[in-house]
Structure formats: C-alpha cells, structure tokens
Amino acid sequence: MRYKNLKYLKKIIEKIGIDINIKQKLKWDCWPKQKTKHIVFFEEDEKFNDAYDEAQHNTQMSETDNPLRRQRHYTLMQLFRNSLPLEGDIVECGTINGLSAIQIAQIVKENKKKATFHIFDSFEGLSIIDKEDDIKQSKALNKKLQNQFAYGEELVRRNLKEY
C-alpha cells in the first residue's frame, strides 16, 4: 500500500475510532524499481511478537515460523481484542495444535474476561478429499494433505495445559 501523506491517513483512522498504539515502521523496498514505503504494524508490536513466539515454542512450531503466518495471527489477535467487550462464549473451529488458541487464552487471561473458551477440531486432519473438493492431485498427495493438519487431542491438551 502506498501512502503519500501518513498524517492524513492517521487522521482518518482516528476519526473512525480505531486506536493505533503501535509505532509505524517505514522501510524501503528494492522492488518494484520505484521506492515505495510500507507500513508493517505487526513487526513493531513487541507485546504481540513476544506472545506469538511463546505460543510457537509451546506448540513446537518455532522452526516453521514465517511472515505470512505471523501476520495472519497478528490480524486474528487484533480482531479478537476488538471483540473483548462482547458477551458470550469464545469458539475456535479447527485448532490444529493450539497456536492461536494459546494466544486467545492468554488475551482472555490478561483481560480477566469471564467466558468459556470452546475448541473444536476432529484432531484427525482433514476429511476424505473427494470429487466435490475439486482437488486434481494424486491420491498419495491428497492423503498427505489430509494428514497435514492431524494433531491429536492429547497434544493440544498438553499445549494448552496452562489454560
């Protein structure tokens, strides 16, 4: 995203009521040939990054970290924080190994939110991939894809034992 006037953008954001409490990091890219400025919020949010790193460690996922997953989790946690004033239970569908569940549980704990956190998963990976799924791959590759997200319930319970 290109912004010629960051002050104008900040005024718009403040006017619609979004609280930005994160420093804005500007960095220059080499591509495309023209220099462009990018605002990358999640890289500057130390509290998020510390919690994310701890959750990765607790779910044995530190070795597979990547910027896109980190950014997805940052966005998810921002959305979850925005929902804190709402009443009711919290639900996560598809926990895999609990990486986002740990972060959500920590936010609930920090904010002393009174809610029950439900986690749903088959714990067996994806369902059988058939013609309705329209995946034109070999059966062996489909089986590998099915099992890619298979983490047992006991592993998830161990990962979330603190909560």
Side-chain angles (χ1 to χ4, degrees):
M1 300 170 92
R2 297 180 192 189
Y3 299 105
K4 292 183 179 179
N5 189 336
L6 292 176
K7 288 181 184 179
Y8 180 69
L9 175 64
K10 187 175 179 183
K11 284 181 183 179
I12 291 172
I13 290 171
E14 288 171 356
K15 191 169 190 162
I16 60 174
I18 298 173
D19 178 26
I20 295 183
N21 57 2
I22 303 163
K23 295 180 214 168
Q24 297 176 349
K25 180 179 181 181
L26 301 177
K27 65 180 183 180
W28 295 101
D29 279 348
C30 297
W31 189 89
K33 301 246 186 250
Q34 289 181 320
K35 291 183 178 183
T36 58
K37 293 180 182 180
H38 296 273
I39 300 173
V40 186
F41 294 110
F42 78 95
E43 289 180 348
E44 290 294 314
D45 189 335
E46 290 178 29
K47 186 176 179 180
F48 162 76
N49 283 297
D50 289 347
Y52 180 80
D53 291 341
E54 184 179 343
Q56 279 196 118
H57 174 75
N58 291 343
T59 56
Q60 306 80 45
M61 293 196 64
S62 296
E63 298 296 318
T64 62
D65 188 31
N66 66 71
L68 290 176
R69 183 173 70 203
R70 190 173 286 258
Q71 186 173 23
R72 277 194 323 270
H73 281 259
Y74 175 77
T75 302
L76 177 62
M77 294 312 121
Q78 290 298 86
L79 291 169
F80 180 69
R81 285 181 188 282
N82 288 343
S83 74
L84 285 173
L86 301 175
E87 292 183 21
D89 290 352
I90 301 161
V91 176
E92 180 177 59
C93 298
T95 192
I96 304 178
N97 62 356
L99 180 60
S100 58
I102 287 175
Q103 295 170 82
I104 290 168
Q106 184 61 39
I107 292 169
V108 167
K109 185 177 178 180
E110 287 171 2
N111 289 277
K112 298 179 176 124
K113 181 162 177 69
K114 303 284 186 226
T116 302
F117 185 13
H118 304 275
I119 299 171
F120 294 92
D121 202 295
S122 72
F123 303 103
E124 297 175 3
L126 299 177
S127 57
I128 295 172
I129 298 171
D130 55 24
K131 63 183 177 185
E132 285 85 14
D133 296 314
D134 195 30
I135 296 179
K136 295 171 178 64
Q137 299 175 3
S138 69
K139 287 187 179 190
L141 193 54
N142 281 348
K143 190 68 174 167
K144 182 179 177 185
L145 182 62
Q146 269 182 269
N147 294 328
Q148 178 180 356
F149 301 106
Y151 288 85
E153 182 179 351
E154 285 307 313
L155 173 69
V156 174
R157 284 184 182 277
R158 274 196 314 271
N159 291 344
L160 292 163
K161 68 183 173 200
E162 180 182 341
Y163 306 100

